[in-house]
Amino acid sequence: MHGHIGFENHSHGCTFWFELPVDPEPATVGPARPATAAVPAPPTRRSVLYIEDSRDLIDLMDAIFQHLPGLTLITARDAETGLRLAQTHRPDVVLMDINLPGMNGIVARGELLKNPDTADIPVIAVTGAAMPSDFEKADEAGFF
């Protein structure tokens, strides 16, 4: 519907929002448009990189993204692979687990920030680590 959806993270929780455009010319009953009428361009495709070691959670996210037209899901099961995919695909956003095998999500976030090609990509922590100290570490690492 050519709208936007997003959220803002606050210390006391998150605010979720969406915007839908209003058609300035509502549909009316009348003659069909001529065959030469311009066809609107398809919306720009967006991509999300999901870095998660749990196959079950990747399958769940795959199922969710199948219902989100215009979004492409790219997945990685470890941070090292995720860093390479971020460099190659330049996703619009990264969803990253914190407790990954090998390099953890905090260290991986730092690596993304160090690289000028990936430093501006928003990274959202998606994790079961929900203690206050975990939130502080994620904030310090630059997660959204």
Side-chain angles (χ1 to χ4, degrees):
M1 294 177 6
H2 306 288
H4 301 281
I5 188 168
F7 74 96
E8 296 172 0
N9 187 10
H10 306 283
S11 60
H12 59 277
C14 293
T15 301
F16 294 87
W17 56 268
F18 66 93
E19 298 173 355
L20 297 175
V22 175
D23 187 352
E25 298 178 24
T28 59
V29 176
R33 291 185 179 183
T36 59
V39 176
T44 303
R45 219 162 156 78
R46 303 290 185 173
S47 62
V48 175
L49 172 58
Y50 182 39
I51 306 173
E52 169 61 62
D53 60 318
S54 167
R55 183 76 243 165
D56 290 339
L57 292 176
I58 289 173
D59 290 346
L60 173 63
M61 196 66 78
D62 275 334
I64 291 169
F65 271 71
Q66 288 182 17
H67 299 284
L68 300 172
L71 288 175
T72 299
L73 182 65
I74 305 163
T75 61
R77 298 211 41 204
D78 59 72
E80 294 82 2
T81 303
L83 292 174
R84 286 191 301 276
L85 290 172
Q87 174 79 32
T88 303
H89 294 280
R90 299 274 319 195
D92 295 285
V93 68
V94 174
L95 305 176
M96 185 172 347
D97 187 15
I98 299 294
N99 299 314
L100 293 166
M103 181 188 303
N104 70 35
I106 300 289
V107 174
R109 177 63 179 134
E111 292 298 313
L112 289 170
L113 287 170
K114 283 191 239 179
N115 183 334
D117 293 332
T118 58
D120 63 337
I121 300 172
V123 181
I124 300 169
V126 180
T127 182
M131 300 303 292
S133 62
D134 297 317
F135 286 110
E136 290 171 16
K137 289 176 190 171
D139 283 341
E140 290 170 7
F143 282 93
F144 281 76

